[in-house]
Amino acid sequence: MEKQNMPAGAGSEVRAAARLCSRPKLVQAFNRVCGIPIEVDLGPKRKIVRRIHECFAVAGLARLSGGRLADLAAKARPAALRSARPPDPKDSAVEVFALVFEAARRALELTPHDVQLIAGLAMAECKIAELPTGEGKTLAAVFPACLFALAGGGVHILTFNDYLARRDAAWMGPVYRLLGLSVGVIQEGMSRPEKRAAYACDVTYATAKEAGFDFLRDQLGFEKEEQTHRPLGLALVDEADSILIDEARIPLVISGAVGELNAHAGRLAPLIRSLRPGADYEVDDEKRNVVPTEAGLDHLERRLGCGDLYARGNEDLLAAIHCALHAEVLLDRDVDYIVRDGKIEIVDEFTGRVMDKRHWPDGLQAAVEAKESLARKPEGRILGSITLQHFLRLYPALCGMTATAAPSAAEFKQFYGLSVVVIPPHRPAARVDRPDVVFARREAKLRALMREILEVHAIGRPVLVGTLSVRESEELAAALKKTGVGCEVLNARNDELEAGIIADAGKAGALTISTNMAGRGADIKLGGADEAERKIVLALGGLYVIGTNRHESLRIDRQLRGRAGRQGDPGSSRFFVSLEDEIFERYGLTNRFIKRYRLEPGPDAVDNPAIREDIAHAQRVIEGQNFGLRKSLWTYAHLMEMQRLIVQEARGSILSSAGGTAWLKPPAPEVLSAGQVRFGPEEWQKILRRVSLYHLDRCWADHLAGLSDLRESIHLVSLGGREPVNEFQKSATDAFEEMEAKIERAVSGTLDDLIKTEGPVDLDARGLRGPSSTWTYLITEDEFGWGVELLKGKHIGFAVGAAAYWGPLFILTLLVRRLRGRKKTR
């Protein structure tokens, strides 16, 4: 695993891929023996590519009319249906790919490169294609999409955000339509009929999150006609490493309004703000947890007049205090979130973008709203949830593409059964990735960074500066403005301007400051649309990408570098790093590195290759820790997903048959007979369906809440020598059986009551309806990372302290008190 996570080094990742493929058969044999799921021998696929070109020439596709192309595509459907089953596309892929090749030439005036065909073949085999940045993955995806669409299955191309889904659907749409295929696009905020029509198309572009949210909404409908999705077919995932790995463990949640507000958040925010760091609360070394000290607890108890915060009855108040403290100390405005239009909008650390409809769990969202003096929203009740990982595994066929897949090949294989195919660029890479410039102190880094930007900008070369946060991007832009240099700023606060800013970022003299928003999916063309200006920029050395921080994942750094030097263009990249940057402070590495290398404060860079290697090693260690976290969380989420699948199957059975299921016992025969006599067969079937679905949904929501509480407390069993995962599975299984019995009792009781009621029956008036309003959001699973840390036997104080504000908390907070030695005397 560690070998796969090695960085590309001073050369770019595309040159590393080329080196990897220089002896493909030998490397392929070595990978096979060692169980490394990376394919580098492209010989078999190159043979198929030659057959595609031969088919194109022999069939004379270039001379055929557009209608004739569509006719040939229609005739290819039977062959596609036979062979669009992984892993061997064979003859139909040759014919279909040749048709797509010609359609792209006509509709887009683009001639696909062989590497795009190879990437398409890899995805047709349900694998992950690693194609370097700038090599045209958007067009490469059209080849397998057409193959599977012609086979009759719905194809979902899942992109990173709404903008990319909209852009790619409009851009590639003419190719599909020329072959007689329909194409749709899903956008947040579309009506249900609009979404249903888009999903009914042969090929649908959407974000993975919105497709998942629509799936959850479908699980709440009381009529089959309310569903938007048709049966799932192929999911082709763009930026596969980000969606399938970085965000895979994030639960997608649908909630319903219950009209309740957090009762404590408003009065706690100003009180928490008055606490003194170090004296009233302490922060752990990694800045992931904050807990009140003995003095802080005394101060809070006096001000609140609540008595002992650890007394029974104060559990909710104590939980709210931990949330308020977390919000005040650990979450920073313009770093972790922004405030826009009177709402909290959370910023994705991986992309720098606002995360649509993302909420923090439980009382933390209310605490942040109170901290910013915003109107608080009802927290709602979770009605359904599924992780992106489990949602994507529901697709019968899954594949993807990205420029940074190989470092995560083992994870793709373990969680999805997908191999990685490494594809070199069609032109030799010309980008120069210069070594990091490392400083001991942040101030020295900022001075050198400003000097570098101004010097390069002065010669007219376009510069893209990648920053870590909204705040950093705006502070850097303000500093440049003071020198008289203007720049464009792209961050979560002005994301609606993204397309225009990216379009101009490659022009001569352009200076763009961006968060990670420019790190993925941004195609920066040198000179913009002006060919004369392109030549000027080429002579200046192409785009210069500067990173102001290293990230937790090397893949994110590689994506930022990949904005320069696309398709053989010249370009260069460099990172400016200080040992006081957030990544080093968060993991306690700042003092360790300073002491190890005996560094003194000063304006000069630390010119030592060893420290750069140490930084890269630290990133690999952090990536390994995050991989371990995802594996541990998987063990918990997997059982919940198995239970969700049972409930989903039961819902589907009820919707289609209006009767019982193999899982739930049907009502007693005498009840069914009496109901038919009382209401008539047709109306009785509707009542049966509505009552069964209502109680199934309500009991499932109760079960989800119970599992959340169970997971928060189950880790305590490790202190007694038992295995938390095993105990969780036992308890969750017992709870599921209890839920089954509860549903059956509730359905029978409601049906009996309805049969005995005289006169017309209004099911809505009796409350047998769905929630009055619903909303979808995501919960960052990292917020639950405490349980994994306790499971590993690390950071027990942090683990239990964090658990103390996530649910019913009396026993957990009591344990905090004991572990930290804060036994109070009264």
Side-chain angles (χ1 to χ4, degrees):
M1 182 68 187
E2 184 167 324
K3 287 183 179 179
Q4 293 175 33
N5 281 317
M6 289 291 287
S12 69
E13 69 272 9
V14 288
R15 283 196 296 274
R19 288 196 301 271
L20 192 63
C21 298
S22 60
R23 299 185 183 89
K25 294 185 181 299
L26 181 62
V27 174
Q28 190 71 49
F30 176 80
N31 287 349
R32 190 178 297 112
V33 170
C34 297
I36 299 175
I38 298 178
E39 180 181 326
V40 295
D41 182 9
L42 303 180
K45 290 181 176 57
R46 293 190 187 280
K47 291 180 180 178
I48 299 178
V49 168
R50 286 195 292 271
R51 292 173 58 197
I52 292 170
H53 288 304
E54 291 169 1
C55 177
F56 175 82
V58 171
L61 298 182
R63 299 188 300 272
L64 299 181
S65 67
R68 182 58 179 152
L69 283 180
D71 290 341
L72 289 177
K75 291 180 179 179
R77 283 181 181 268
L81 183 61
R82 287 194 302 272
S83 68
R85 294 182 174 88
D88 188 4
K90 291 191 178 177
D91 291 338
S92 67
V94 172
E95 183 179 352
V96 171
F97 276 40
L99 289 170
V100 177
F101 186 95
E102 174 57 21
R105 287 189 347 121
R106 294 191 188 189
L108 307 178
E109 296 184 355
L110 293 175
T111 301
H113 302 295
D114 285 357
V115 295
Q116 292 172 307
L117 295 172
I118 292 171
L121 290 169
M123 288 185 278
E125 295 174 353
C126 288
K127 296 177 181 179
I128 302 294
E130 179 181 282
L131 194 61
T133 54
E135 292 297 314
K137 290 186 287 294
T138 304
L139 178 56
V142 176
F143 290 91
C146 288
L147 179 64
F148 278 84
L150 288 170
V155 175
H156 292 174
I157 299 183
L158 303 178
T159 64
F160 204 65
N161 55 58
D162 273 356
Y163 161 70
L164 291 176
R166 186 170 61 251
R167 182 201 72 179
D168 293 352
W171 187 13
M172 298 293 120
V175 179
Y176 297 114
R177 287 188 282 271
L178 193 55
L179 297 177
L181 297 172
S182 58
V183 59
V185 60
I186 298 293
Q187 298 281 279
E188 182 188 0
M190 289 173 60
S191 67
R192 181 168 289 181
E194 289 173 325
K195 287 188 171 182
R196 189 180 299 115
Y199 283 125
C201 291
D202 295 306
V203 179
T204 305
Y205 285 80
T207 67
K209 297 171 188 175
E210 197 62 25
F213 286 142
D214 288 335
F215 174 80
L216 289 176
R217 293 185 188 101
D218 285 350
Q219 304 310 306
L220 297 179
F222 283 171
E223 301 294 338
K224 204 170 183 181
E225 293 73 22
E226 296 178 32
Q227 296 186 335
T228 56
H229 275 289
R230 61 168 167 158
L232 301 179
L234 168 72
L236 193 159
V237 183
D238 192 8
E239 305 296 355
D241 57 321
S242 179
I243 294 174
L244 294 179
I245 293 178
D246 293 335
E247 300 197 20
R249 67 180 185 272
I250 298 175
L252 286 73
V253 174
I254 185 166
S255 285
V258 294
E260 297 178 359
L261 290 172
N262 187 298
H264 302 294
R267 64 171 177 154
L268 286 177
L271 180 57
I272 292 298
R273 202 172 293 124
S274 69
L275 296 181
R276 301 161 299 169
D280 294 327
Y281 62 84
E282 296 175 351
V283 183
D284 73 352
D285 291 338
E286 297 179 1
K287 293 188 177 181
R288 290 188 173 184
N289 186 49
V290 55
V291 291
T293 64
E294 188 70 21
L297 291 171
D298 287 337
H299 176 72
L300 291 169
E301 289 170 349
R302 286 195 305 270
R303 293 286 300 275
L304 293 169
C306 60
D308 187 353
L309 277 168
Y310 291 99
R312 189 177 297 276
N314 278 336
E315 297 94 332
D316 290 343
L317 178 58
L318 184 59
I321 287 172
H322 278 280
C323 284
L325 197 56
H326 186 109
E328 179 65 33
V329 178
L330 300 184
L331 297 178
D332 294 329
R333 182 170 177 166
D334 294 336
V335 176
D336 301 293
Y337 64 93
I338 62 173
V339 177
R340 184 165 59 181
D341 298 330
K343 297 185 299 183
I344 297 291
E345 296 189 336
I346 303 174
V347 177
D348 189 334
E349 64 176 311
F350 294 111
T351 68
R353 301 177 187 275
V354 164
M355 298 184 287
D356 295 332
K357 297 186 177 181
R358 179 78 60 101
H359 285 200
W360 281 295
D362 297 336
L364 186 56
Q365 183 78 17
V368 178
E369 289 168 349
K371 169 187 174 182
E372 299 294 343
S373 302
L374 301 175
R376 288 177 288 134
K377 310 294 191 301
E379 293 181 9
R381 174 181 178 81
I382 293 179
L383 305 175
S385 177
I386 188 172
T387 64
L388 272 173
Q389 187 177 59
H390 285 111
F391 169 64
L392 293 169
R393 285 167 59 95
L394 294 176
Y395 284 84
L398 178 65
C399 64
M401 55 187 184
T402 181
T404 46
S408 302
E411 199 161 349
F412 282 126
K413 191 67 174 180
Q414 179 171 347
F415 290 120
Y416 300 98
L418 301 175
S419 299
V420 171
V421 180
V422 177
I423 304 166
H426 79 283
R427 292 177 183 168
R431 189 181 77 232
V432 178
D433 294 332
R434 300 164 67 188
D436 291 359
V437 185
V438 182
F439 298 86
R441 302 299 179 191
R442 185 179 291 112
E443 291 79 7
K445 179 189 84 169
L446 292 177
R447 285 193 295 270
L449 178 64
M450 288 286 293
R451 187 165 55 249
E452 182 83 355
I453 293 172
L454 294 174
E455 288 178 358
V456 177
H457 177 67
I459 66 173
R461 186 179 179 186
V463 179
L464 171 67
V465 184
T467 62
L468 194 64
S469 66
V470 173
R471 180 187 299 170
E472 185 185 7
S473 67
E474 293 178 344
E475 288 176 349
L476 182 57
L480 287 167
K481 187 176 181 180
K482 290 179 180 179
T483 69
V485 174
C487 64
E488 292 287 350
V489 179
L490 176 60
N491 59 36
R493 211 189 301 278
N494 65 345
D495 49 7
E496 72 279 359
L497 304 177
E498 177 179 3
I501 293 175
I502 292 299
D504 294 337
K507 293 184 176 180
L511 175 54
T512 309
I513 312 297
S514 177
T515 57
N516 287 343
M517 287 178 65
R520 285 186 185 269
D523 187 9
I524 300 176
K525 296 182 179 179
L526 300 186
D530 189 330
E531 186 60 32
E533 189 168 344
R534 170 179 166 80
K535 294 179 181 178
I536 295 173
V537 175
L538 288 172
L540 291 170
L543 182 67
Y544 183 25
V545 172
I546 300 176
T548 64
N549 295 267
R550 282 292 189 171
H551 297 85
E552 288 194 7
S553 172
L554 282 163
R555 288 182 287 105
I556 298 176
D557 294 339
R558 290 176 60 190
Q559 286 286 349
L560 179 60
R561 289 189 189 276
R563 298 314 99 193
R566 298 162 75 83
Q567 296 196 18
D569 285 342
S572 58
S573 70
R574 189 165 216 171
F575 280 83
F576 283 71
V577 178
S578 97
L579 299 182
E580 293 180 333
D581 288 344
E582 180 181 338
I583 184 174
F584 305 114
E585 290 187 341
R586 176 183 296 179
Y587 290 94
L589 298 173
T590 298
N591 291 332
R592 185 181 306 175
F593 283 163
I594 288 176
K595 290 178 180 178
R596 178 181 298 174
Y597 294 98
R598 300 176 182 177
L599 303 177
E600 298 292 336
D604 297 328
V606 182
D607 188 14
N608 187 337
I611 196 169
R612 288 193 284 268
E613 177 55 36
D614 262 358
I615 290 172
H617 176 73
Q619 285 182 288
R620 292 195 296 272
V621 170
I622 293 169
E623 285 181 332
Q625 289 178 350
N626 289 334
F627 178 49
L629 174 63
R630 291 190 287 268
K631 287 174 62 178
S632 299
L633 290 169
W634 166 260
T635 61
Y636 289 91
H638 186 57
L639 175 65
M640 296 173 66
E641 174 61 10
M642 291 173 63
Q643 295 182 350
R644 192 202 61 76
L645 286 172
I646 294 173
V647 172
Q648 177 186 337
E649 184 180 1
R651 265 194 129 266
S653 178
I654 294 170
L655 275 173
S656 60
S657 67
T661 70
W663 171 52
L664 296 173
K665 295 179 182 177
E670 56 269 24
V671 174
L672 294 175
S673 177
Q676 288 191 7
V677 173
R678 167 75 173 81
F679 297 102
E682 186 175 346
E683 184 64 22
W684 178 239
Q685 290 300 315
K686 292 180 180 178
I687 291 173
L688 269 178
R689 181 166 58 246
R690 173 74 72 87
V691 171
S692 299
L693 290 174
Y694 171 78
H695 286 297
L696 177 65
D697 293 345
R698 184 174 61 84
C699 292
W700 175 242
D702 291 341
H703 182 67
L704 288 176
L707 290 184
S708 177
D709 293 345
L710 173 64
R711 190 170 66 168
E712 287 161 5
S713 60
I714 198 66
H715 303 282
L716 296 175
V717 303
S718 65
L719 301 178
R722 288 182 289 169
E723 177 59 51
V725 173
N726 294 340
E727 296 300 319
F728 176 82
Q729 291 177 340
K730 292 176 184 176
S731 299
T733 301
D734 292 342
F736 192 75
E737 292 176 354
E738 292 174 8
M739 181 190 74
E740 178 183 3
K742 183 179 178 181
I743 295 171
E744 292 169 358
R745 289 194 302 268
V747 169
S748 295
T750 299
L751 292 177
D752 284 339
D753 183 53
L754 292 175
I755 291 171
K756 295 173 183 177
T757 301
E758 296 183 359
V761 172
D762 187 340
L763 297 180
D764 288 341
R766 288 174 171 266
L768 297 172
R769 61 177 186 270
S772 57
S773 64
T774 62
W775 59 91
T776 53
Y777 58 94
L778 299 98
I779 297 176
T780 301
E781 191 68 38
D782 287 344
E783 302 297 341
F784 300 107
W786 53 267
V788 179
E789 294 303 320
L790 182 56
L791 180 63
K792 295 176 181 176
K794 300 176 182 177
H795 259 77
I796 292 181
F798 155 65
V800 181
Y805 54 77
W806 294 126
L809 313 166
F810 177 75
I811 190 170
L812 293 176
T813 51
L814 180 62
L815 183 59
V816 172
R817 192 176 172 193
R818 290 175 179 172
L819 288 174
R820 297 182 65 86
R822 293 180 178 139
K823 205 163 187 177
K824 304 179 71 174
T825 57
R826 295 284 180 188

